[in-house]
Amino acid sequence: MRDYKLVVLGAGGVGKSCLTVQFVQGVYLDTYDPTIEDSYRKSMEIDNKIFDLEILDTAGVAQFTAMRELYIKSGLGFLLVYSVTDRQSLEELVELREQVLRIKDSDRVPMVLVGNKADLEEERVVSVEEGIEMSSKWGKVPFYETSALLRSNVEEVFVDVVRQIIRNELEAANANASASAGLGAGAGAGVARAEAPAGREKTAVSRDKAPVGGPKKPEPKRRKKSKKKNACVVL
């Protein structure tokens, strides 16, 4: 079983707690109680695997900002939530996202953009198209409109983040395996190149020693000078 920590971020009053409690407990909170920090756990099956999720419901952007960096450092996936009835809550997410990317030191952090309170159509001030536009600006981050009251897209947003985490882990594992294979091949080639000059040195030594042990050329024979005898003449 894999443990993943998810962090729910957004301005105060956008429905982060309602969204989280509806997902974990299947209950709708009809009263607003400002959150400092609440942690929930839920085990669920995703793509035939069991995951133990720890979900951190954080305070709004304006409150307890010093604690937010700790949440981001420990989190693996993030839900950035705004209310469709509050335009400023969407605008505040721009800075929040930048902070997440900076702290995680990555451009590929698992996250979803969530427009909550979609059931309040009469109070809506942020259109669906504006949510899609923000998603595109962020590199096509998955975008959902949710309703904690109607439990619309509630489970989907959490599952999406988990799948992004899984995908990132698989890509990282494949990259490490490819790098290890490349290092192994490079080391083998290096050994072969290192051994090649030694062989050439042996050959050179052998050529230098060949004349010493080889057959000697016969020395040319010296010709003996013949002595002429004086002839004796008898008169």
Side-chain angles (χ1 to χ4, degrees):
M1 181 182 295
R2 301 297 303 275
D3 293 343
Y4 290 151
K5 179 178 284 188
L6 311 181
V7 183
V8 185
L9 299 169
V14 298
K16 299 186 299 297
S17 297
C18 291
L19 203 64
T20 303
V21 172
Q22 180 66 272
F23 172 65
V24 176
Q25 301 175 1
V27 175
Y28 175 71
L29 300 177
D30 56 1
T31 57
Y32 176 60
D33 182 15
T35 301
I36 297 177
E37 176 189 336
D38 287 328
S39 181
Y40 302 86
R41 299 196 76 93
K42 179 181 177 69
S43 295
M44 67 180 305
E45 181 178 338
I46 301 174
D47 299 333
N48 300 319
K49 294 181 181 179
I50 303 297
F51 296 91
D52 187 19
L53 307 180
E54 180 182 355
I55 304 165
L56 192 61
D57 178 20
T58 66
V61 175
Q63 306 114 332
F64 307 101
T65 54
M67 299 172 62
R68 195 166 61 242
E69 186 169 339
L70 298 176
Y71 305 151
I72 295 172
K73 284 182 177 179
S74 63
L76 292 178
F78 301 87
L79 289 82
L80 274 62
V81 185
Y82 69 94
S83 169
V84 300
T85 65
D86 182 358
R87 181 174 301 280
Q88 185 177 350
S89 67
L90 175 61
E91 295 170 354
E92 289 182 6
L93 291 184
V94 175
E95 183 179 346
L96 251 181
R97 174 179 175 270
E98 290 299 323
Q99 186 178 14
V100 171
L101 299 182
R102 176 175 52 80
I103 293 174
K104 304 303 285 187
D105 192 23
S106 174
D107 291 331
R108 300 185 67 250
V109 178
M111 68 171 60
V112 293
L113 174 62
V114 181
N116 195 32
K117 302 187 180 182
D119 55 285
L120 300 178
E121 278 296 333
E122 294 183 358
E123 301 176 35
R124 176 189 287 271
V125 295
V126 182
S127 66
V128 175
E129 290 74 21
E130 288 175 288
I132 294 173
E133 182 181 357
M134 184 66 77
S135 166
S136 299
K137 289 180 179 178
W138 290 0
K140 295 185 178 179
V141 167
F143 165 65
Y144 295 84
E145 282 202 341
T146 60
S147 169
L149 174 64
L150 303 177
R151 197 178 171 82
S152 173
N153 283 335
V154 171
E155 184 169 308
E156 285 80 356
V157 294
F158 289 93
V159 170
D160 194 314
V161 175
V162 173
R163 283 179 173 149
Q164 289 181 57
I165 297 172
I166 297 170
R167 187 161 56 247
N168 280 9
E169 288 182 342
L170 288 175
E171 290 176 357
N174 291 337
N176 290 337
S178 299
S180 299
L183 288 175
V191 171
R193 287 194 295 271
E195 291 178 348
R200 288 195 292 271
E201 288 175 5
K202 291 180 181 179
T203 305
V205 171
S206 297
R207 284 199 297 270
D208 292 341
K209 292 181 177 180
V212 177
K216 295 182 179 180
K217 293 183 180 180
E219 296 181 358
K221 294 182 178 181
R222 295 180 180 177
R223 297 177 64 185
K224 295 183 179 181
K225 294 182 181 179
S226 56
K227 297 181 179 180
K228 293 184 180 179
K229 295 182 179 181
N230 296 328
C232 183
V233 179
V234 182
L235 297 173

